[in-house]
Amino acid sequence: MIHSCKRKHADYHLTKEAALNEELNYSHYKADTNTWKQYIDGSADIIKWLKDLGVEYFDVEPLGSGARTWHLFKCRGDAVINKVLAPKAKENGADIVTSTEVTKLITENGAVTGVELKNLENNEVSTVNGKHIILATGGYLNNKKLIADYTNYDANQLIPVNSNKNTGDGLSLAWNAGAQRYAMGMAMLFGGYIKDPYRPIYVYRYDELNGAANQQLLLWVNETGKRFVNEEVVDNFAEAGNALFTQNEFYTILDQATVDHLQNDSLYKPMGTYDYHDTKLPHLQEEIDDELAKNPKYLTKADNIEELAKKLNLPDLPATVKHYNEQAHAGKDEDFGMNAKFMIPVEKGPVYVIKQGVGAFCNMGGLKINLDNQVLDLDGAPIKGLYAVSNDAAGMLIGDTYGPNMPGTKAGYCFFSGKHVADVISEK
């Protein structure tokens, strides 16, 4: 969401023109200019509209060196949806139906006139007719086949950190009704994420060990133990994800001195995407010890680097760490140009390695829309009665990489596009 705001010690101002140019340049002009103009023009009104409904903000933050546009909600999105928006919708006569699947869009003479529903509890099928059908199904990040077919990501390395319900249902319904497939291929990556096949993904979302592994500029190595990037890339979480996907596997390496520093002294840098406001990781050692007691597949401990390399078959790791430590002590990264203050030697045993995948919040795209959010067919004409919002339609805003330089734009577009469609329909 684009804004101008005043905080205690500084004024922050972002013009519409600067925001538009930044987003178009970031997307290499794959984003639709008019869709961005419309969204930017309406952004301040959406922020105010949500506030008037009762949504509470507690801060507006940047990510890394990006613009200060990330509006943080008190009690996060759960409170916005379940404490404000859902009750308001029910208050105004909306029915919220769960355990129900839309199995088909009903069409007549090229127009969408209703939906076919299946009750997942008893498998009963029913139909609901309507002049305006809005798809808001969140995209396809949890559909491995669509990821494999339409993106360049390794679906086995990609770790969706979401509700697990974004399976592309709305997109498939629209494509079957003649909609144009558009702007597939971009996931909102956010760098590394603990790869544990035996526990639910969400348990690591605010885990201190997970945060240390991919937000604290520690040493990253690939499947042979070689370093492959300036770890400062974590300041742009989408670019970090891109960099990590250049490797078959990757690991974070840290020693006991680093664990002690993060727990007892301070973070090396702010925690980026983690919305984390403590200055330390006070439970880090406890988390490590608890996890090691479970014999996890993603976490390995050894007395020294040589032992660690043998345990995980990382033949280049001893030479990598030796060279990295020499550069850290010399105060200059000759390999990748990392800021010397972030080069933390790996010397004091025991040492730990954390195996990760590439985390992702969501994907954006799948359907092409016009400025009324009507879904377009293969010829670019609107399909009467069919609309799309949020991630299903957000391919209009992006290129091949999400822009954390303007954080909050995806969530902001969810609110903007939903209200915009409601306004469009109410005027028909």
Side-chain angles (χ1 to χ4, degrees), residues 55-58 70-85 205-207 273-277 415:
V55 171
E56 294 184 75
Y57 305 97
F58 73 87
W70 189 20
H71 284 65
L72 301 177
F73 304 120
K74 284 187 178 179
C75 301
R76 302 191 174 91
D78 175 64
V80 177
I81 295 168
N82 296 311
K83 303 295 185 184
V84 178
L85 297 182
R205 179 65 184 92
Y206 294 101
D207 182 89
T273 59
Y274 277 68
D275 182 21
Y276 185 88
H277 297 275
F415 296 115

Side-chain angles (χ1 to χ4, degrees), residues 47-69:
I47 295 169
K48 182 179 184 302
W49 176 72
L50 288 170
K51 186 176 181 180
D52 290 344
L53 286 175
V55 171
E56 294 184 75
Y57 305 97
F58 73 87
D59 208 347
V60 184
E61 291 285 350
L63 281 174
S65 59
R68 192 177 290 277
T69 56

Side-chain angles (χ1 to χ4, degrees), residues 87-209:
K88 288 286 185 184
K90 291 178 181 178
E91 216 176 272
N92 284 278
D95 293 324
I96 298 177
V97 181
T98 58
S99 300
T100 303
E101 179 183 4
V102 178
T103 54
K104 182 181 178 182
L105 294 178
I106 300 168
T107 60
E108 186 176 330
N109 298 322
V112 174
T113 59
V115 295
E116 181 180 275
L117 305 175
K118 182 171 79 171
N119 186 313
L120 298 180
E121 294 180 349
N122 55 28
N123 290 323
E124 288 185 0
V125 175
S126 60
T127 60
V128 174
N129 296 321
K131 291 173 61 179
H132 309 289
I133 307 299
I134 304 169
L135 300 173
T137 59
Y140 62 98
L141 187 66
N142 299 101
N143 187 317
K144 281 196 170 185
K145 186 176 187 312
L146 289 180
I147 293 293
D149 288 348
Y150 295 108
T151 80
N152 293 318
Y153 303 125
D154 179 349
N156 294 317
Q157 280 281 73
L158 192 68
I159 301 178
V161 185
N162 60 14
S163 66
N164 290 320
K165 297 176 182 177
N166 307 127
T167 53
D169 298 359
L171 303 182
S172 296
L173 290 168
W175 295 334
N176 290 337
Q180 182 178 158
R181 184 178 288 112
Y182 183 77
M184 302 284 285
M186 194 285 287
M188 186 179 173
L189 308 178
F190 63 94
Y193 197 89
I194 282 176
K195 189 175 183 180
D196 184 353
Y198 301 109
R199 296 180 70 191
I201 291 165
Y202 67 84
V203 302
Y204 296 106
R205 179 65 184 92
Y206 294 101
D207 182 89
E208 290 185 11
L209 181 58

Side-chain angles (χ1 to χ4, degrees), residues 2 83 130 154 221 353 383:
I2 313 307
K83 303 295 185 184
D154 179 349
V221 300
V353 63
I383 299 174

